[in-house]
Amino acid sequence: MAEWVSVGSAEGQDGEVREAQAGDVYLALARAGGEWFALDDECPHQACPLSDGWLDGSKLVCSCHGSAFDVRTGAVLAAPATEPVNVYPVRVVNGQLEVEV
């Protein structure tokens, strides 16, 4: 059963990417267009942490080999990755980010 887990402050600027953990799930948190998004923190290409990457609009680029993912859907936008990443619902409660995992 899914549950909401607090993963830190909701403060941040567009273009920010940070790592977080919700239970056993490692996340990349990305802020784009005034919203926070949560994705698996592991690039499916060679297991590099996506939280080490950077944002280009709503595209999260992996720092290892340049794979890119849509932060809203997890869809692959650029190779070499061929598999999407999981995305998770995010909400803000009392200034804190919560992710449903």
Side-chain angles (χ1 to χ4, degrees):
M1 183 170 172
E3 66 178 301
W4 290 95
V5 178
S6 179
V7 292
S9 173
E11 291 188 27
Q13 302 294 319
D14 278 359
E16 182 176 339
V17 180
R18 61 173 105 141
E19 65 182 336
Q21 186 174 351
D24 294 335
V25 180
Y26 291 90
L27 302 166
L29 302 175
R31 186 170 171 90
E35 294 183 64
W36 283 102
F37 299 91
L39 306 88
D40 281 335
D41 193 25
E42 183 175 279
C43 180
H45 174 242
Q46 287 193 343
C48 291
L50 290 175
S51 58
D52 287 347
W54 64 90
L55 279 174
D56 179 7
S58 61
K59 177 171 60 175
L60 179 57
V61 181
C62 180
S63 64
C64 291
H65 301 104
S67 294
F69 305 89
D70 186 319
V71 297
R72 299 165 298 188
T73 66
V76 176
L77 299 176
T82 58
E83 298 293 321
V85 293
N86 293 321
V87 295
Y88 302 89
V90 177
R91 69 183 183 188
V92 177
V93 176
N94 297 323
Q96 296 292 303
L97 287 176
E98 292 186 352
V99 177
E100 187 178 31
V101 294

